[in-house]
């Protein structure tokens, strides 16, 4: 199943629906429903950091730093479900779509005993394109759930009784079966819309495969503790990809686990147990391309010697692997036919048309009509959708917004559209924020209230000392939103140190507009 997801922890969409044992039928407030009406649609998604996409023939769903947005006309208009109108203090993590049902997992972060922890908030789903939402509580176990039957075995199982560290990092839905990868909560599946969950047993670290007919003696346990000394990194779950109801791939901190019988038997492949294994065992994303039946994995180094960060792929369903982009921090891989898109941090959006032998970077993306630039090297997600005229739209999500390419020629050739949050008149803000000068520029957005004006933008440090004059008395034309950029350097060309900086926008003799930028090196 060609699903596009992403691993990020700072998105704001939904959370805090009142927990109940059964799904909660939750309708948005009147204000949000008004925003969702055709008369109230806007031209851009609700936020400027696009981190997850679900592309269907009828709806484009995009998850941003400020909420969920959808478009039913290929991006011409958008309606949004912003976090402040839905659920308080929660963040959305992943989406998946199956037979008209959109699913999303969510959670939040808490400081407990001096340490920041991820806390699972469960899932929500909609069957009517976002009008009504149903909440599923984060699955937990009872204190007495210490045994699990697996074939001929009764295995010890650490009961996960808390939502702390029990957060769903990935959701996959296929043919009505919901699979969730919940780190400390493990791998679970449901066949009744999340009302009941089954814990799925994966191989322990010392075994490369398990079957219900094997005689086994281990605990289903991701960490050591009072329950016992076992500490299986292969039970720490991060990603899941379903080819069909029976064939599922699961990424853990111990490698990739593959089942061909719906989760009963499993084979584990990793960096150590194959002559040509994956580059690193910490697998944050798995993507399956049904066109050529290839598997692609975004990997990090886990605990094994010789592991590295990069991308590994297999054309024989995991028997052998080839590593590419070694040292690159890759995220949520997408496809267009046999072409592969790899979003990265700091290296841009990369694409291969020859199985990873050569890669082409998307380069500078500029809107074909507005000439606004999506100037960043930090990308999260990619995917493609075929139009009725058989051309393709390629959608990319980055820290600097959502972009769409109607590709009409060679790779990366065609008409680009850059989507930014519309905002309100006289509102100004900077994004991405925090900002890393090494990989991109920070965008300073403001509004021109007349057809032409002389604009000056200055950067100050925390003591209000002048750091950089970005532009001075520069003419900007055409009333509406404008974007200028700062590269994180001072007037002497030196990158500024970490810290809080302020910007000031002056337009003619109008009142100045101020904003704050956090620089993180």
């Amino acid at each position: 199943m060609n699903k596009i997801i992403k691993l990020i922890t700072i998105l704001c969409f939904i959370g805090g629906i009142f927990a109940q044992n059964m799904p909660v039928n939750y309708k948005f407030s009147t204000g949000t429903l008004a925003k969702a009406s055709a008369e109230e649609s806007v031209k851009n998604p609700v936020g400027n950091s696009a981190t997850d996409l679900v592309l269907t023939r009828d709806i484009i769903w995009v998850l941003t730093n400020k909420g969920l947005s959808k478009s039913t006309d290929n991006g011409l208009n958008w309606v949004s479900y912003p976090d402040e109108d839905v659920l308080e203090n929660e963040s959305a993590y992943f989406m998946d779509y199956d037979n008209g049902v959109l699913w999303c997992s969510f959670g939040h972060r808490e400081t407990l005993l001096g340490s920041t922890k991820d806390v699972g908030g469960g899932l929500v789903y909609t069957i009517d394109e976002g009008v009504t939402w149903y909440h599923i509580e984060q699955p937990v176990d009872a204190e007495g759930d210490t045994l699990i039957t697996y074939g001929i075995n009764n295995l010890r199982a650490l009961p996960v009784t808390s939502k702390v560290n029990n957060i769903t990092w990935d959701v996959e839905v296929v043919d009505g079966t919901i699979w969730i990868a919940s780190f400390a909560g493990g791998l679970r599946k449901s066949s009744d819309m999340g009302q009941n969950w089954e814990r799925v047993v994966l191989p322990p670290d010392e075994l490369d495969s398990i079957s219900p007919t094997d005689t086994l003696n281990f605990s289903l346990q991701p960490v050591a503790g009072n329950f016992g000394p076992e500490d299986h990194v292969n039970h720490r779950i991060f990603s899941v990809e379903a080819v069909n109801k029976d064939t599922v791939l699961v990424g853990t901190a111990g490698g990739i686990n593959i089942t061909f019988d719906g989760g009963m038997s499993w084979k584990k492949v990793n960096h150590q147990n194959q002559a040509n294994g994956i580059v690193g065992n910490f697998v944050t994303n798995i993507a399956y391309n049904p066109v050529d039946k290839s598997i692609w994995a975004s990997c990090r180094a886990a605990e094994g010697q010789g592991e590295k960060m990069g991308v590994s792929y297999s054309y024989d369903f995991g028997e052998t692997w080839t590593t590419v982009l070694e040292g690159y921090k890759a995220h949520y891989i997408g496809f267009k036919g046999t072409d592969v898109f790899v979003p990265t941090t700091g290296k841009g959006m990369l694409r291969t048309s020859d199985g990873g032998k050569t890669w082409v970077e998307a380069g500078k993306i500029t809107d074909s009509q507005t000439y606004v630039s999506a100037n960043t090297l930090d990308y999260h997600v990619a995917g493609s959708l075929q139009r009725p005229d058989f051309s393709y739209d390629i959608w990319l999500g980055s820290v600097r917004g959502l972009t769409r390419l109607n590709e009409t020629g060679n790779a990366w050739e065609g008409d680009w559209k850059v989507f930014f949050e519309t905002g309100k008149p006289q509102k100004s803000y900077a994004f991405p924020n925090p900002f890393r000068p090494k990989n991109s520029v920070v965008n300073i957005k403001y509004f021109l209230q007349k057809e032409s004006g002389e604009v000056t933008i200055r950067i100050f440090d925390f003591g209000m000392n002048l750091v950089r004059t970005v532009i001075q008395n520069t003419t900007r034309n055409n009333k509406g939103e404008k974007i200028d950029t700062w590269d994180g350097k001072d007037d002497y060309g030196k990158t500024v140190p970490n810290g809080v900086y302020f910007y000031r926008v002056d337009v003619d003799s109008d009142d100045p507009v101020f904003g704050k930028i956090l620089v993180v090196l």
Side-chain angles (χ1 to χ4, degrees), residues 418-436:
V418 177
F419 300 92
F420 289 138
E421 177 189 352
T422 300
K424 300 177 181 179
Q426 298 192 30
K427 180 181 178 182
S428 177
Y429 53 87
F431 67 96
N433 202 356
F435 158 56
R436 297 193 305 160

Side-chain angles (χ1 to χ4, degrees), residues 401-469:
L402 178 69
T403 59
R404 183 195 68 211
L405 170 66
N406 181 225
E407 194 164 66
T408 55
N410 296 324
W412 303 125
E413 291 183 0
D415 292 328
W416 285 99
K417 173 64 179 174
V418 177
F419 300 92
F420 289 138
E421 177 189 352
T422 300
K424 300 177 181 179
Q426 298 192 30
K427 180 181 178 182
S428 177
Y429 53 87
F431 67 96
N433 202 356
F435 158 56
R436 297 193 305 160
K438 179 180 178 181
N439 295 329
S440 63
V441 296
V442 64
N443 307 279
I444 299 171
K445 186 173 180 179
Y446 58 96
F447 285 80
L448 196 63
Q449 304 300 315
K450 43 198 171 186
E451 291 304 319
S452 180
E454 302 297 311
V455 180
T456 298
I457 300 178
R458 298 183 179 92
I459 308 295
F460 301 86
D461 64 16
F462 195 75
M464 294 309 293
N465 301 301
L466 179 64
V467 172
R468 175 80 175 271
T469 300

Side-chain angles (χ1 to χ4, degrees), residues 277-501:
I278 58 178
V279 64
N281 289 344
F282 180 2
V283 182
T284 60
N285 170 242
I286 308 173
Y288 174 74
N289 188 352
V291 175
D292 56 14
K293 296 180 173 57
S294 60
I295 303 169
W296 294 74
S298 300
C299 302
R300 312 277 192 272
E303 299 180 353
Q305 186 175 2
E307 294 182 34
K308 297 179 181 178
M309 185 163 58
V311 174
S312 294
Y313 67 86
S314 174
Y315 282 93
D316 55 13
F317 225 87
E319 294 297 322
T320 59
W321 296 85
T322 300
T323 291
V324 293
L325 304 178
E326 188 173 301
Y328 284 51
K329 187 176 183 180
H331 299 292
Y332 301 92
I333 297 168
F335 307 102
K336 173 197 167 188
T338 57
D339 285 12
V340 182
F341 305 102
V342 177
T344 73
T345 294
K347 301 293 186 179
M349 177 65 69
L350 301 171
R351 173 181 186 161
T352 182
S353 301
D354 56 11
K357 297 181 181 66
T358 59
W359 294 86
V360 180
E361 207 264 315
K364 184 177 181 180
I365 295 172
T366 302
D367 192 293
S368 301
Q369 292 183 339
T370 66
Y371 304 107
V372 171
S373 174
N375 187 13
T376 182
L377 294 176
D378 290 346
Y379 284 87
H380 299 140
V381 63
S384 69
L385 187 65
Q386 190 173 31
R387 285 188 174 189
D389 64 1
F390 300 105
S391 67
Y392 276 86
D393 284 333
I394 298 171
W395 293 82
L396 311 176
S398 75
V399 299
R400 198 177 186 270
L402 178 69
T403 59
R404 183 195 68 211
L405 170 66
N406 181 225
E407 194 164 66
T408 55
N410 296 324
W412 303 125
E413 291 183 0
D415 292 328
W416 285 99
K417 173 64 179 174
V418 177
F419 300 92
F420 289 138
E421 177 189 352
T422 300
K424 300 177 181 179
Q426 298 192 30
K427 180 181 178 182
S428 177
Y429 53 87
F431 67 96
N433 202 356
F435 158 56
R436 297 193 305 160
K438 179 180 178 181
N439 295 329
S440 63
V441 296
V442 64
N443 307 279
I444 299 171
K445 186 173 180 179
Y446 58 96
F447 285 80
L448 196 63
Q449 304 300 315
K450 43 198 171 186
E451 291 304 319
S452 180
E454 302 297 311
V455 180
T456 298
I457 300 178
R458 298 183 179 92
I459 308 295
F460 301 86
D461 64 16
F462 195 75
M464 294 309 293
N465 301 301
L466 179 64
V467 172
R468 175 80 175 271
T469 300
V470 178
I471 58 174
Q472 185 167 3
N473 297 328
T474 301
T475 301
R476 293 287 184 258
N477 297 314
N478 300 321
K479 180 179 179 180
E481 64 181 49
K482 303 295 173 187
I483 294 177
D484 282 288
T485 62
W486 175 46
D487 59 6
K489 296 179 180 179
D490 60 22
D491 276 331
Y492 300 98
K494 183 178 179 180
T495 300
V496 300
N498 287 334
V500 176
Y501 294 83

Side-chain angles (χ1 to χ4, degrees), residues 138-139 165-170 180-188 236-238:
Q138 185 72 23
N165 288 329
N166 176 16
I167 192 163
T168 298
W169 289 121
D170 200 358
I180 58 173
S182 300
F183 184 52
L187 179 67
R188 303 185 186 225
R236 304 173 193 174
I237 318 295
F238 292 97

